[in-house]
Amino acid sequence: MGKLKDDSNFQIYGWMATKLKLKGNELLIYAIIYSFSRNNKGEGVFNASIPYLQEWTNSSKQNVIDCLNSLIRKKLIIKLEDNSRKRKPNVYRTSEINFYQTGKESLLAQVNKVDQTGKESLLAQVNKVDQT
């Protein structure tokens, strides 16, 4: 294959396993797409080939396709362009539900769901997250 360079890397965050409940090749593929999505001030996309993902995961083409489809069904990634007929890589990015990186958005969502007395406590948590 040879698309993967020796200095290629990506990061797996704990929330990907604990909050999103990902494991195995789905975890690896999600983390790779997430790393590309963070480029360009968060406006990046993943448009590398399936062989690139095969090389990272050491798995078959069908396994990579199945993982991508599963991540789409779980609404964790979005297929922006289907270029399969053009014989070019499809374009993916992570969906907007990835609020685990700071926790702030998740806490703000909770604020909207609780009664007035609980808001002060949760707002304090939001402010604490902002300061870190």
Side-chain angles (χ1 to χ4, degrees):
M1 290 183 205
K3 303 245 182 225
L4 194 59
K5 297 178 181 169
D6 287 342
D7 62 348
S8 296
N9 64 74
F10 63 93
Q11 187 168 3
I12 297 174
Y13 293 90
W15 55 263
M16 293 176 181
T18 59
K19 304 290 186 193
L20 300 181
K21 307 289 187 210
L22 295 173
K23 60 185 176 181
N25 287 341
E26 278 190 13
L27 174 61
L28 294 175
I29 291 171
Y30 179 84
I32 293 165
I33 294 172
Y34 181 80
S35 69
F36 279 83
S37 296
R38 292 190 55 173
N39 292 338
N40 194 25
K41 298 181 183 175
E43 299 296 322
V45 295
F46 175 80
N47 60 358
S49 64
I50 286 180
Y52 180 82
L53 293 174
Q54 282 181 262
E55 205 165 356
W56 268 113
T57 60
N58 196 27
S59 61
S60 69
K61 179 178 181 178
Q62 190 58 54
N63 182 263
V64 169
I65 291 169
D66 291 346
C67 287
L68 288 168
N69 288 333
S70 176
L71 291 168
I72 291 169
R73 277 192 311 275
K74 293 177 182 178
K75 298 186 184 333
L76 296 176
I77 64 170
I78 299 166
K79 185 191 283 189
L80 298 173
E81 286 181 41
D82 186 342
N83 293 321
S84 55
R85 292 182 183 248
K86 299 176 189 175
R87 303 189 127 208
K88 291 172 36 180
N90 294 328
V91 179
Y92 300 91
R93 73 171 171 80
T94 54
S95 70
E96 299 301 321
I97 69 164
N98 303 314
F99 300 137
Y100 303 107
Q101 48 199 329
T102 63
K104 178 181 176 184
E105 292 86 352
S106 178
L107 287 171
L108 285 172
Q110 291 178 36
V111 168
N112 292 329
K113 292 181 181 178
V114 298
D115 64 359
Q116 189 62 35
T117 59
K119 283 185 181 179
E120 291 81 12
S121 172
L122 286 170
L123 284 172
Q125 290 179 34
V126 169
N127 291 332
K128 186 176 179 181
V129 169
D130 272 346
Q131 292 171 359
T132 56

